[in-house]
Amino acid sequence: MQIAHFGYFFIWHLFAHINAELPLCKESDYHFEYTECDMLQSRWRVAVPNKLDTCTGLPDPVKGTQCTFSCTDGEFLEMSSQMCQKCAAGSYSLGTGVAFDEWDSLPAGFVTHGINIDDDAQTNCSKSMWVPMGDHIASNVDECTTTLSFAVNLKKAGAVSFEYLYPDNNIYFEFFVQNDQCQSTDTESRFVKLSDADWSQYNVKLNQGTNVLYWRTTAYALQETTVKSVLLRNIAISGVAYTSECFLCKPGTYSAKPGSARCGPCPADSYSNKGATVCHQCEPDTYAEAGSGSCKVRPACTNSDYFYTHAPCDSMGQTQIMYKWMEPKICSESVPGAVNLPASGQKITCPPCNPGFYLTNTSACQPCSNDFFSNGTACAKCPAGTEPVVGFEYKWWNTMPSNMMSYALRREYTFNMEQSTGWEVAGDYIYTVPGELDSDFMVLTLNVLGYRLPPSSAKDDEATELSRITFVFETECTADCMLDFLAGYSKMNQHIVEKWHGTTGKQSYSYVVPDNITTSFTWAFRRMQLHGTRNHTSDVAKIYSILVTNTIDGVASDCRQCAAGSSDLSACVPCPPGHYMVNGTGVCESCPPNTIIRPQQTIGKEACIPCGPNTFTNQARSACVSDCTLQVQSGAGQLLQYNFSSLANLTGFRSSPRFTSRGLRYFQHFHLALCGKEDRQLAVCVDNVTEQRREVRGYACQSMVVPSDTRGQVLVSSQPFVIADMLVGVTTEKTLDHISSLENMFPVDISLPDVIFYYRSSEMTQACKQGRSTTIRMRCDPTVTARHQISLPSYCPEGTCDGCSFHFLWRSQFACPLCTSDHYREIVSACVQGIQRTTYVWQQPLQCYAGVSLPAQLVNACVSLDFWLKFGVSTGTVAALLLIGVICYFWKRTRKLEYKYSKLITAGDKEECELPAADSCAIMEGEDAEDDLIYLTKKSFFHKAKIYSRERTSDGFDSVPLKSSASSLLRNEEDMDEC
């Protein structure tokens, strides 16, 4: 190290010799810097010229301070003396750090650029950057990924802190740090949570060495909504060991004492220049807001610079309309043409108290105590056998309720709640006052600590809604005004529930509260998006009434009848599951079988709702469920049995890639819980961008997913909502309970009918005033070996065409009906060696799953073909022999007849001889008999048969051969011989 220092001295003296002819350097021609620390943690102070080759005679290097040396806040290191000195008045320093609080332009060292990480998008991001806005810097609001970076080398471990305003979850905001090897440092989360105050503070520790700081944003405007920028200010970095100069206070701030670490803002109606030690008051005809660097001329007061409100009720129960200037008051009444503040109106009777409150002797409204209720006049105790209906109901607006507040959001999110108002009371409604600019947000918030179900419903989690907020409102606009309704656990950590544009007639809107947490409801009204104008101050939003049910800290406006059945009638006794309360009594009646109790309505028989086809009630009789099995009748009259238990587990899938209007890619991610009993696992969709981690649960839910390549980390899910939380029924019909599942969405390509699950969602929106509905078609497809293959309608690639009705097609082999004996056939084999086999095979194409199994192969004994062949040959031989015998017999018989015939012919040739007439016709027969005796010496089988046939003739008389006739015939033959 000493050799290196000697070489440095040699080069410096050589440089000084070469430039000996240049003039001697003045203190303004150079500045001091420290060399790098050596192994002994020491360094040298050297003079560095501001410009080369301009002077000579720089001071010699001297031993510098130790590397561990640092200055405190409000000090700087004076390099000539190498001592820390206090900053002068009108300036400040952080001591061991640097600060950036002026953003008129991008400070040195900061780099901003926009890129399109999504290769499929066509957006040009070359002009998408962070924009300096004076006292802060604003992010992009387009769909490019825009980065603001700053590199700093720390001499020791330090930290970075900054203030940010991040009010919109439609833009993703992350902060992370990388070292000189581009390795990200360990942080709990690089995702920055939404702001829960005007400005939020963020702190991260930094390691020694090079640190590159990154602020990165990406906006997603899916519904052409206006995205609010992320704002940064007051970036401070510690760990640089020292600063060699102090920073002058920016305009609008000052520091009155030396050694200041910060500059304070000037109060309202005062101003200051850069490096000021004091603030100067504005002239009487001018004004300035807090922290201003100049004063502005006061404009003439107009009717838009004041508003009216109701004065508090006096002891006589009287109030009057009061007129007030908008705060802070910037207009002047002395300017020609200016208007004066109108005088207060005459006194009128105060409006009544809101339900649950009573009027005191001082004409103030106070809440009734527990177990008491009120219609706004006097409190009364709930009768025995009833329970108070607890909540908040505001329909009279004489004063702003204690749990509500109003303010104006100005200058892109900055506001002073103590000096601004956005809504004012007006008797029977509350309305928005004129704003300083048309782009101001007039904000009204209502804070609810939590919710509690009534005693009658406390044991049944599904029987009753946790809470519901209902409000009646209207808007009157001459331009493109907008009213937003938001809900969340704080006034800045909220999501937009619904929004309305332009003039809106008087109407009611309801929102079901999903979680039992402290909730902040917000109404935000903006007259126009264009900044810097004030032409539509007459545009107004009005809210007539607000009702929130089942609140912990609420009051009772009424008492409802509880179920009878307890000796202590002062306590409520709920009806048993499956029972409703008879009107006007505490008597419980049983609902018909397979019906459920309607939420929020347990009185009257109409509270019983029948379950849909192939569903049954749960134990609490509060919802219809399915055990994933059912029977349906096919078109051919066949009874089909289904079991979808294999598909009952949670299923998640994405839609095809979608693109915003500017070309940035995203997906719609769905979670399904098809069916199951009461202990089924619900589908859950979560927002993992913010600290709130809002979750929704039901049979089906949807959320927007940003690809990981866009974020550089895990998938980001946001904007979740439920599309199915109630099972309506399961059937093959195309319509059920006014929900339709059209076949043209998913053309049928098989003979089996689709089984359709019908669902509803109780959450209502402005677009879906009847809530959402969902249908899931289960289609048998033996070719799909995976557990599921879910598709969306081709002409509705996000599952819905109107945002209210969602449709899915689920193909799977597990969606086929259970196999029965009708699905297989038998094949009988030939008889081989006395054995015959019967085999069973499935009918093709196979359109069933599980169910019955194929029967086992059957083996039976049989007679082979050889046996029958031998039997046939033997029988044929016997038949042939018999046939030959018959032929021989008839041949012989024929010969005898020929002989007799020839004898008769020969006897007829002797004309002179006369033959004696035969005694009877039986002689010939006898003759035959004799002939038999002559020619057959033995009695054959044929002879016996012949004799038997002659025993009786066909006419019934016996035929007997006559011996006498035969002897007579012999004699006649002798006579013929003699002749």
Side-chain angles (χ1 to χ4, degrees):
M1 183 61 66
Q2 297 296 331
I3 295 176
H5 287 166
F6 176 78
Y8 177 81
F9 294 150
F10 175 78
I11 294 173
W12 183 83
H13 283 292
L14 180 63
F15 176 79
H17 176 73
I18 295 174
N19 294 276
E21 298 180 356
L22 297 177
L24 293 177
C25 292
K26 302 177 183 179
E27 291 186 3
S28 60
D29 293 332
Y30 61 89
H31 64 277
F32 292 106
E33 291 185 5
Y34 281 122
T35 63
E36 295 291 335
C37 295
D38 57 21
M39 297 179 61
L40 301 177
Q41 293 298 308
S42 62
R43 55 190 174 184
W44 292 81
R45 189 201 71 178
V46 297
V48 179
N50 296 328
K51 294 183 180 180
L52 294 177
D53 302 331
T54 56
C55 64
T56 186
L58 294 174
D60 293 337
V62 297
K63 191 76 171 180
T65 60
Q66 291 294 318
C67 292
T68 58
F69 173 84
S70 63
C71 295
T72 60
D73 293 349
E75 296 180 340
F76 73 101
L77 180 63
E78 206 286 314
M79 294 295 290
S80 298
S81 62
Q82 298 191 61
M83 299 291 292
C84 293
Q85 297 184 8
K86 290 185 177 181
C87 292
S91 64
Y92 71 97
S93 78
L94 299 178
T96 59
V98 292
F100 304 93
D101 56 3
E102 291 188 62
W103 298 92
D104 296 321
S105 60
L106 202 63
F110 281 87
V111 178
T112 177
H113 62 280
I115 60 174
N116 195 340
I117 298 181
D118 193 344
D119 297 332
D120 297 332
Q122 304 297 323
T123 304
N124 184 1
C125 298
S126 59
K127 296 183 179 180
S128 181
M129 300 180 181
W130 288 72
V131 181
M133 303 291 289
D135 60 347
H136 63 269
I137 184 170
S139 73
N140 65 312
V141 293
D142 56 21
E143 292 160 345
C144 296
T145 298
T146 305
T147 303
L148 176 69
S149 60
F150 180 76
V152 61
N153 188 280
L154 301 184
K155 302 300 181 181
K156 60 180 181 179
V160 57
S161 65
F162 57 88
E163 295 180 6
Y164 71 94
L165 193 61
Y166 176 30
D168 193 344
N169 60 3
N170 287 317
I171 186 170
Y172 299 146
F173 176 39
E174 57 183 327
F175 172 77
F176 58 96
V177 183
Q178 291 183 342
N179 57 21
D180 51 2
Q181 280 83 38
C182 295
Q183 297 174 340
S184 296
T185 58
D186 295 332
T187 58
E188 293 183 2
S189 174
R190 63 195 297 171
F191 299 139
V192 182
K193 69 177 182 179
L194 291 173
S195 301
D196 56 1
D198 186 8
W199 287 83
S200 299
Q201 187 81 17
Y202 197 91
N203 297 277
V204 173
K205 293 182 179 180
L206 301 178
N207 298 324
Q208 182 181 358
T210 300
N211 293 267
V212 185
L213 315 179
Y214 293 94
W215 296 266
R216 190 160 69 184
T217 59
T218 304
Y220 279 81
L222 299 184
Q223 300 177 352
E224 300 299 330
T225 57
T226 301
V227 179
K228 302 173 186 176
S229 299
V230 176
L231 306 184
L232 299 177
R233 72 179 185 185
N234 295 337
I235 300 177
I237 303 173
S238 63
V240 295
Y242 68 91
T243 177
S244 58
E245 61 178 340
C246 295
F247 302 95
L248 295 176
C249 294
K250 67 179 181 178
T253 63
Y254 73 102
S255 63
K257 299 179 180 180
S260 297
R262 295 283 183 186
C263 296
C266 291
D269 294 332
S270 65
Y271 72 98
S272 69
N273 298 318
K274 191 170 186 177
T277 58
V278 293
C279 296
H280 305 285
Q281 287 296 122
C282 294
E283 297 296 330
D285 58 344
T286 62
Y287 75 98
E289 297 176 351
S292 297
S294 63
C295 298
K296 302 177 183 179
V297 178
R298 292 183 181 273
C301 292
T302 66
N303 294 332
S304 300
D305 292 315
Y306 64 85
F307 61 93
Y308 66 93
T309 183
H310 278 224
C313 295
D314 57 20
S315 58
M316 304 299 295
Q318 299 289 310
T319 184
Q320 63 180 164
I321 296 179
M322 303 287 294
Y323 295 92
K324 295 182 179 181
W325 292 110
M326 296 290 300
E327 295 292 343
K329 183 176 179 291
I330 63 174
C331 67
S332 174
E333 302 173 68
S334 60
V335 176
V339 299
N340 295 321
L341 190 68
S344 300
Q346 65 180 130
K347 291 188 176 182
I348 59 175
T349 302
C350 286
C353 296
N354 283 307
F357 292 80
Y358 70 97
L359 194 64
T360 64
N361 295 331
T362 59
S363 298
C365 294
Q366 294 292 332
C368 296
S369 57
N370 294 337
D371 296 332
F372 284 80
F373 72 100
S374 168
N375 60 358
T377 55
C379 297
K381 188 173 180 61
C382 289
T386 64
E387 61 182 354
V389 181
V390 179
F392 289 116
E393 183 178 2
Y394 302 120
K395 60 181 180 179
W396 300 109
W397 304 92
N398 187 63
T399 58
M400 187 72 71
S402 59
N403 59 350
M404 297 182 70
M405 63 180 300
S406 166
Y407 55 89
L409 221 60
R410 297 171 181 166
R411 283 190 172 182
E412 280 195 280
Y413 326 121
T414 60
F415 57 90
N416 187 337
M417 291 182 289
E418 296 180 354
Q419 298 183 359
S420 64
T421 183
W423 297 68
E424 271 295 338
V425 296
D428 55 354
Y429 62 85
I430 185 173
Y431 74 102
T432 55
V433 300
E436 182 180 351
L437 297 174
D438 290 338
S439 57
D440 291 348
F441 281 91
M442 302 291 105
V443 180
L444 176 69
T445 63
L446 167 62
N447 296 314
V448 179
L449 296 181
Y451 310 93
R452 178 177 55 199
L453 291 174
S456 296
S457 305
K459 297 181 181 180
D460 186 0
D461 293 337
E462 297 185 26
T464 307
E465 294 172 347
L466 177 64
S467 178
R468 178 188 291 263
I469 179 171
T470 303
F471 57 92
V472 178
F473 72 100
E474 71 173 340
T475 59
E476 300 173 3
C477 302
T478 59
D480 186 22
C481 66
M482 179 177 63
L483 176 64
D484 293 346
F485 173 62
L486 305 91
Y489 67 88
S490 70
K491 65 182 178 61
M492 294 299 287
N493 276 326
Q494 294 179 328
H495 64 279
I496 296 178
V497 176
E498 192 58 75
K499 60 176 53 185
W500 298 268
H501 289 273
T503 299
T504 304
K506 190 175 181 180
Q507 59 183 276
S508 175
Y509 179 80
S510 294
Y511 169 71
V512 177
V513 180
D515 302 313
N516 191 4
I517 59 175
T518 299
T519 309
S520 177
F521 301 105
T522 298
W523 295 263
F525 179 73
R526 184 171 63 177
R527 293 174 171 87
M528 203 170 184
Q529 297 185 14
L530 184 63
H531 293 273
T533 63
R534 196 169 186 265
N535 302 321
H536 303 281
T537 56
S538 61
D539 293 359
V540 64
K542 298 179 181 180
I543 295 179
Y544 293 90
S545 65
I546 300 176
L547 172 63
V548 188
T549 63
N550 300 336
T551 60
I552 291 178
D553 55 342
V555 293
S557 60
D558 195 8
C559 296
R560 66 180 178 184
Q561 189 73 38
C562 297
S566 173
S567 57
D568 184 9
L569 296 180
S570 62
C572 287
V573 180
C575 287
H579 290 68
Y580 66 93
M581 188 184 302
V582 179
N583 289 326
T585 68
V587 179
C588 296
E589 295 287 346
S590 176
C591 283
N594 205 36
T595 59
I596 62 174
I597 299 297
R598 188 189 302 272
Q600 290 289 358
Q601 180 183 346
T602 59
I603 301 176
K605 193 173 183 179
E606 59 273 13
C608 304
I609 306 173
C611 286
N614 296 300
T615 63
F616 56 90
T617 59
N618 59 358
Q619 293 181 356
R621 299 289 290 272
S622 60
C624 299
V625 297
S626 168
D627 61 357
C628 303
T629 63
L630 69 150
Q631 293 182 350
V632 298
Q633 199 79 18
S634 66
Q638 182 182 5
L639 185 63
L640 303 177
Q641 296 183 349
Y642 289 87
N643 189 337
F644 298 108
S645 299
S646 300
L647 306 177
N649 295 330
L650 292 180
T651 301
F653 68 99
R654 296 185 194 174
S655 67
S656 58
R658 305 294 299 156
F659 298 88
T660 63
S661 58
R662 299 181 181 179
L664 198 59
R665 182 176 56 171
Y666 68 96
F667 298 89
Q668 294 295 354
H669 193 81
F670 299 92
H671 278 90
L672 302 180
L674 183 67
C675 53
K677 296 184 179 179
E678 290 188 76
D679 56 350
R680 69 186 185 279
Q681 188 175 3
L682 296 177
V684 180
C685 294
V686 63
D687 180 357
N688 63 4
V689 177
T690 66
E691 294 290 332
Q692 181 183 0
R693 294 191 65 85
R694 175 173 173 263
E695 293 184 356
V696 296
R697 298 172 180 269
Y699 280 100
C701 59
Q702 174 187 334
S703 59
M704 189 188 74
V705 172
V706 179
S708 57
D709 55 355
T710 301
R711 300 292 298 150
Q713 281 194 329
V714 297
L715 291 178
V716 175
S717 174
S718 64
Q719 303 176 10
F721 60 92
V722 175
I723 61 176
D725 57 13
M726 180 177 64
L727 179 61
V728 178
V730 186
T731 179
T732 57
E733 298 296 328
K734 308 305 181 291
T735 302
L736 180 63
D737 194 20
H738 307 290
I739 305 175
S740 297
S741 177
L742 304 179
E743 287 186 346
N744 57 359
M745 291 186 177
F746 307 104
V748 179
D749 52 6
I750 62 174
S751 59
L752 289 175
D754 292 339
V755 176
I756 308 174
F757 283 75
Y758 290 88
Y759 306 91
R760 284 193 185 278
S761 173
S762 57
E763 184 178 355
M764 296 182 295
T765 64
Q766 177 68 11
C768 307
K769 296 184 178 180
Q770 303 300 322
R772 299 183 178 94
S773 63
T774 299
T775 64
I776 303 178
R777 278 181 170 262
M778 309 301 297
R779 180 168 296 177
C780 172
D781 193 343
T783 62
V784 179
T785 58
R787 193 166 66 94
H788 69 270
Q789 179 179 317
I790 303 177
S791 58
L792 305 172
S794 59
Y795 52 87
C796 300
E798 292 189 0
T800 178
C801 297
D802 57 4
C804 301
S805 301
F806 292 79
H807 305 277
F808 306 97
L809 174 63
W810 193 332
R811 293 176 177 268
S812 175
Q813 62 175 340
F814 304 108
C816 295
L818 299 179
C819 294
T820 64
S821 58
D822 296 333
H823 290 92
Y824 60 81
R825 60 187 178 88
E826 63 179 20
I827 298 177
V828 180
S829 66
C831 185
V832 179
Q833 297 181 352
I835 297 176
Q836 188 177 48
R837 303 177 186 274
T838 302
T839 306
Y840 298 90
V841 296
W842 295 112
Q843 299 276 7
Q844 297 298 327
L846 181 62
Q847 294 181 344
C848 67
Y849 172 77
V852 301
S853 303
L854 283 176
Q857 189 182 57
L858 298 179
V859 179
N860 298 319
C862 62
V863 180
S864 64
L865 181 61
D866 294 342
F867 170 79
W868 292 109
L869 183 59
K870 294 177 181 178
F871 176 77
V873 170
S874 301
T875 304
T877 303
V878 173
L881 293 176
L882 291 175
L883 181 60
I884 293 172
V886 171
I887 293 173
C888 292
Y889 165 75
F890 284 105
W891 177 77
K892 182 177 180 182
R893 181 74 173 173
T894 303
R895 291 297 302 270
K896 288 172 58 178
L897 292 175
E898 288 178 354
Y899 168 74
K900 293 179 180 180
Y901 180 72
S902 60
K903 283 181 62 179
L904 290 175
I905 294 300
T906 305
D909 291 341
K910 299 179 180 181
E911 296 178 356
E912 68 278 7
C913 296
E914 296 182 0
L915 295 177
D919 295 335
S920 69
C921 61
I923 296 176
M924 186 59 68
E925 297 294 334
E927 192 176 17
D928 291 337
E930 293 296 333
D931 293 338
D932 292 336
L933 294 174
I934 295 173
Y935 292 98
L936 297 175
T937 58
K938 292 183 179 181
K939 294 182 179 180
S940 66
F941 170 77
F942 297 105
H943 179 68
K944 292 179 180 180
K946 180 178 179 182
I947 294 174
Y948 176 77
S949 63
R950 287 180 177 176
E951 289 179 357
R952 185 173 297 272
T953 62
S954 60
D955 56 0
F957 296 96
D958 293 335
S959 175
V960 181
L962 300 178
K963 298 287 184 160
S964 59
S965 299
S967 60
S968 299
L969 181 58
L970 290 176
R971 284 195 301 270
N972 291 336
E973 289 179 355
E974 291 175 357
D975 292 338
M976 291 176 64
D977 291 338
E978 291 177 356
C979 291

